Amino acid sequence: MSLRDDFLVYLQTENVKPLTIAAYKNELHSLTGDPCILTHADLERWLAQAQIKPATLALRLAALRRFFRWLQESGLRPDNPTVGLKAVRQERTIPKPQPHTWLVLAGLAERIADLDGVSDPLYMAQAPARVEAILRRDMALITLLYRCGLRIG
């Protein structure tokens, strides 16, 4: 059994979620060399050579930090070479609307109106201004949720 496998077993005993363990396993699998003799410079070079997105780099760095901290705490290494490794800042982006977004939002507003009973022909004949106001309100709420990246639930 390798040190990496021992580390994964340790994570299971610490009640780490299975998806996290699987992600760490994939990242540590790509690490070459003996973890007991790798240096800070080796890890910097390895991370710099990887052509990966910032989110993947952050995951890889998290796996490395936890792995080498475990090695140090277990007495298998006198130091932790991940100390001082910098993560790339991830940009937070606003979702870009697709060309058909307004059609989808308008359709959603109509479906909400159906649920409210607003699209009932009798109701629409009695209060067309109220129906229009309700549809505008619903469209504004849906647009706010979508544009701000908010989720219901």
Side-chain angles (χ1 to χ4, degrees), residues 4-5 18 24 26 40 43 55 70 72-73 80 86 89 93-94 96 111 114 122 129 132 135-136 145-146 148 152:
R4 290 174 182 93
D5 293 333
Y24 281 13
N26 287 337
H40 180 83
L43 295 177
W70 173 77
Q72 186 179 25
E73 289 171 356
N80 184 344
K86 302 269 189 225
R89 271 219 178 293
T93 58
I94 296 173
K96 294 181 179 123
R111 283 196 288 175
D114 288 343
L122 181 61
E132 186 177 338
L135 289 176
R136 279 191 197 168
L145 291 170
Y146 176 76
C148 294
I152 298 175

Side-chain angles (χ1 to χ4, degrees), residues 37-137:
I37 59 172
L38 287 172
T39 65
H40 180 83
D42 293 334
L43 295 177
E44 276 185 330
R45 194 171 27 260
W46 179 67
L47 289 170
Q49 290 173 350
Q51 299 296 320
I52 53 179
K53 294 183 179 184
T56 306
L57 185 60
L59 172 65
R60 185 170 285 182
L61 196 51
L64 286 175
R65 284 182 176 145
R66 190 139 188 200
F67 177 58
F68 281 102
R69 186 175 57 231
W70 173 77
L71 286 173
Q72 186 179 25
E73 289 171 356
S74 299
L76 300 168
R77 271 195 77 107
D79 63 341
N80 184 344
T82 62
V83 172
L85 286 178
K86 302 269 189 225
V88 176
R89 271 219 178 293
Q90 295 183 42
E91 291 181 22
R92 290 194 169 237
T93 58
I94 296 173
K96 294 181 179 123
Q98 301 298 319
H100 65 282
T101 300
W102 292 110
L103 295 174
V104 171
L105 292 177
L108 188 54
E110 287 176 17
R111 283 196 288 175
I112 291 171
D114 288 343
L115 292 174
D116 289 340
V118 173
S119 61
D120 179 26
L122 181 61
Y123 184 84
M124 291 178 76
Q126 292 175 352
R130 179 159 167 70
V131 170
E132 186 177 338
I134 290 172
L135 289 176
R136 279 191 197 168
R137 178 207 62 194

